[in-house]
């Protein structure tokens, strides 16, 4: 385990009694180019596995990361909410205190110090013990980018779809408007057992 000069971790290591784990909530951003997706895969790199390895390296804990959603291979995330349990933040620190916030900030900086350059923890704080990023989510936002130009852009190739010809933006807007409302998306994939395939789209526009 890598030793890090973080005050809260030094305090935790010095204490003799068992430290109760607490639930941490974090917002992460990642470039998904080099990953098979967010969810852990048996024989391929994933964002979830990279996060869990960083937590293990920093804290020595084998924590399971829960994500708000699963992105596919090559898909990027700017605000993926995750949760995991950790004893890094001492259990005697009262909620929402300066000491608790400092410990959460220490953990965020420590994770960013060991994570790959294409993954970053944007924010981290404590959450309620039963907080679940997926089931407590109110909505999700997705962005699809089209690079519309005669010649492709080497800098945009991993973050957009290149379309050389002219786009009929009015027709695109009309088609997008048809998605707004409540629809059954069963034809787009197989949901986890027991989940409904009906979703409500709040906005859709180009």
């Amino acid at each position: 385990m890598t030793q890090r000069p973080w005050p809260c971790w030094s305090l935790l290591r010095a204490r003799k009694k068992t430290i109760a784990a607490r639930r941490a909530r974090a917002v992460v951003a990642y470039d998904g180019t080099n990953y098979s997706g967010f969810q852990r895969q048996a024989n391929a790199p994933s964002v979830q596995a990279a996060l869990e390895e960083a937590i293990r390296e920093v804290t020595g804990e084998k924590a399971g990361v829960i994500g708000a959603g699963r992105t596919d291979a090559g898909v990027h995330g700017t605000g993926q909410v995750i949760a995991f349990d950790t004893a890094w933040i001492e259990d005697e620190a009262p909620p929402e205190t300066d000491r608790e916030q400092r410990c959460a900030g220490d953990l965020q900086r420590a994770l960013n110090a060991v994570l790959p350059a294409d993954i970053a923890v944007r924010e981290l704080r404590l959450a309620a013990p039963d907080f679940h990023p997926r089931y407590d989510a109110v909505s999700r936002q997705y962005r699809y980018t089209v690079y519309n130009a005669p010649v492709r852009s080497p800098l945009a190739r991993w973050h957009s779809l290149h379309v050389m010809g002219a786009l009929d933006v009015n027709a695109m807007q009309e088609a997008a408007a048809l998605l707004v409302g409540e629809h059954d998306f069963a034809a787009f994939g197989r949901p986890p057992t027991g989940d409904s395939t009906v979703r409500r789209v709040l906005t859709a526009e180009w």
Side-chain angles (χ1 to χ4, degrees):
M1 180 180 63
T2 302
Q3 301 298 322
R4 302 284 173 184
W6 307 108
C8 291
W9 181 231
S10 299
L11 175 63
L12 187 153
R13 292 176 63 238
R15 295 168 67 183
K16 302 299 183 183
K17 70 173 188 174
T18 301
I19 307 299
R22 304 179 72 178
R23 178 142 296 190
R25 172 195 180 277
V27 178
V28 299
Y30 51 87
D31 183 322
T33 301
N34 297 319
Y35 299 96
S36 60
F38 178 83
Q39 189 175 25
R40 188 189 310 104
Q41 304 289 329
N43 299 304
S46 70
V47 177
Q48 183 182 28
L51 288 165
E52 291 174 346
E53 173 57 25
I55 294 169
R56 186 205 62 77
E57 182 174 351
V58 169
T59 70
E61 301 166 326
K62 190 176 181 181
V65 167
I66 306 169
R70 295 175 294 180
T71 50
D72 293 331
V75 176
H76 317 295
T78 59
Q80 172 79 277
V81 179
I82 66 168
F84 59 93
D85 294 330
T86 178
W88 172 289
I89 303 173
E90 55 176 318
D91 58 323
E92 292 179 355
E96 303 302 328
T97 62
D98 289 342
R99 183 169 59 177
E100 179 187 274
Q101 293 171 10
R102 284 198 303 272
C103 287
D106 282 349
L107 180 54
Q108 178 186 358
R109 288 186 289 275
L111 291 174
N112 282 331
V114 300
L115 278 166
D118 49 11
I119 302 176
V121 178
R122 295 177 52 190
E123 61 180 73
L124 189 149
R125 60 181 174 82
L126 282 181
D130 59 350
F131 169 72
H132 196 290
R134 178 183 173 192
Y135 299 122
D136 289 342
V138 176
S139 64
R140 295 178 175 85
Q141 184 177 27
Y142 299 88
R143 174 178 292 182
Y144 302 89
T145 304
V146 174
Y147 182 76
N148 185 213
V151 179
R152 67 181 181 275
S153 168
L155 300 180
R157 65 192 181 114
W158 297 120
H159 303 90
S160 61
L161 172 67
H162 179 216
V163 177
M164 293 184 291
L167 296 174
D168 188 338
V169 178
N170 289 332
M172 293 167 63
Q173 294 285 28
E174 290 178 5
L178 298 175
L179 295 172
V180 177
E182 195 168 276
H183 307 282
D184 190 337
F185 290 90
F188 289 84
R190 181 182 301 173
T193 303
D195 272 15
S196 170
T197 54
V198 176
R199 295 291 185 270
R200 179 180 293 110
V201 178
L202 302 178
T203 61
E205 60 184 4
W206 290 97

